[in-house]
Amino acid sequence: MVRISEFQIKDVVNISDGKKLGNIGDIEINLDTGRIEAIVIGGGGKLLGFFGKDEDVVIPWKSIVKIGEDVILVRHKESHYIQGQLEEPKESS
């Protein structure tokens, strides 16, 4: 058996890009089935929490790939992440 406190100290890492998403702040449980539906990674504060807070990241339980001793590996695709294109260098006159 595993306690939620043991989950909270593990780093959650996205295997799609190797990015550390944070630590589990909460879990969503289906009260009808008693099953964990998702883990919630709390949005960290921006600049020490002074200028707002990032949104929480909710990862469905089915997206968890592996739970290790120190790390939880997940497959998560962020919908709000869009990589911008670099502009063409301007010619100097």
Side-chain angles (χ1 to χ4, degrees), residues 53-73:
K53 182 180 175 186
D54 290 335
E55 291 185 24
D56 291 345
V57 177
V58 178
I59 299 174
W61 187 257
K62 65 182 179 184
S63 296
I64 295 175
V65 176
K66 178 80 173 168
I67 299 174
E69 286 188 39
D70 301 323
V71 174
I72 299 173
L73 300 176

Side-chain angles (χ1 to χ4, degrees), residues 70-85:
D70 301 323
V71 174
I72 299 173
L73 300 176
V74 299
R75 185 173 285 116
H76 177 67
K77 202 177 248 189
E78 295 184 48
S79 59
H80 64 274
Y81 175 77
I82 299 173
Q83 183 175 357
Q85 290 183 336

Side-chain angles (χ1 to χ4, degrees), residues 2-18:
V2 179
R3 297 177 183 263
I4 186 64
S5 59
E6 294 174 25
F7 275 120
Q8 291 176 316
I9 59 172
K10 296 177 190 276
D11 293 331
V12 179
V13 176
N14 185 0
I15 64 169
S16 299
D17 59 8

Side-chain angles (χ1 to χ4, degrees), residues 5 12 18 20 33 51 68 79 93:
S5 59
V12 179
K20 177 183 171 189
T33 63
F51 299 107
S79 59
S93 304

